[in-house]
Amino acid sequence: MTETAINLSQEDPILSLGEKITALVADLYYPSESDEKIEFLDAPFAVEGTPDVASLKMFLGIPPEVTTSEWDVETFFKPLLKKEDWFGEEELGWLKSAEDLHALLTANLTDIKIYRIGDIEIDVYLLGKPTEGNCVGVKTKVIET
């Protein structure tokens, strides 16, 4: 895991929310059949709150017939926050980053929604509304065969 020399506390006025999220996901992968990178998402959605699934598909250019489902925040974070007996220093660092990401997102975003789009190779978007600006969150992919 890369050591992050910046202060990621929620009170740090120097870093933007996006910079904090980006730092926390730098070494995070979402566990599924293929561990995929988690990335910061600055969503250019000009809507009140978080977009509904039809709006999200339209913004992303996804056909309406593509399968979509939703998760809650705890379901999204469950595999990221699971501590195993075999964890070494690197895995414990990932766990700490996931815990910090969970705390940062739930403290700074309202109307958080998690959308799963597709079958087998599923794009996952966690979006929420900060106090100012457009929706932000993270995106990843899960593989479910």
Side-chain angles (χ1 to χ4, degrees):
M1 179 166 138
T2 305
E3 287 298 318
T4 305
I6 57 179
N7 181 355
L8 297 175
S9 76
Q10 295 177 26
E11 294 78 29
D12 187 343
I14 296 170
L15 295 177
S16 70
L17 180 59
E19 290 168 325
K20 292 175 186 178
I21 294 170
T22 299
L24 288 171
V25 300
D27 294 323
L28 276 183
Y29 290 81
Y30 198 87
S32 71
E33 290 182 37
S34 143
D35 296 345
E36 298 289 335
K37 184 85 179 97
I38 298 174
E39 300 173 5
F40 170 66
L41 177 63
D42 186 4
F45 308 129
V47 296
E48 284 292 318
T50 307
D52 62 22
V53 73
S55 297
L56 180 65
K57 283 182 173 182
M58 182 184 72
F59 286 127
L60 297 173
I62 297 169
E65 64 274 5
V66 174
T67 304
T68 306
S69 61
E70 291 186 36
W71 274 345
D72 60 41
V73 174
E74 301 314 315
T75 301
F76 176 85
F77 276 98
K78 186 176 182 178
L80 286 168
L81 299 176
K82 185 177 181 184
K83 183 178 179 182
E84 301 287 353
D85 293 338
W86 54 266
F87 276 9
E89 188 175 318
E90 185 174 36
E91 292 83 7
L92 291 173
W94 296 336
L95 179 61
K96 173 75 169 109
S97 291
E99 290 168 345
D100 291 347
L101 179 65
H102 180 266
L104 183 69
L105 294 177
T106 56
N108 290 280
L109 300 178
T110 59
D111 197 24
I112 296 174
K113 294 182 182 175
I114 295 97
Y115 301 105
R116 296 167 33 99
I117 300 175
D119 292 312
I120 301 174
E121 291 187 23
I122 304 163
D123 293 317
V124 180
Y125 297 88
L126 180 153
L127 296 171
K129 191 74 171 161
T131 53
E132 295 179 7
N134 294 329
C135 291
V136 297
V138 295
K139 66 179 181 175
T140 191
K141 183 179 290 285
V142 296
I143 308 296
E144 297 176 352
T145 56

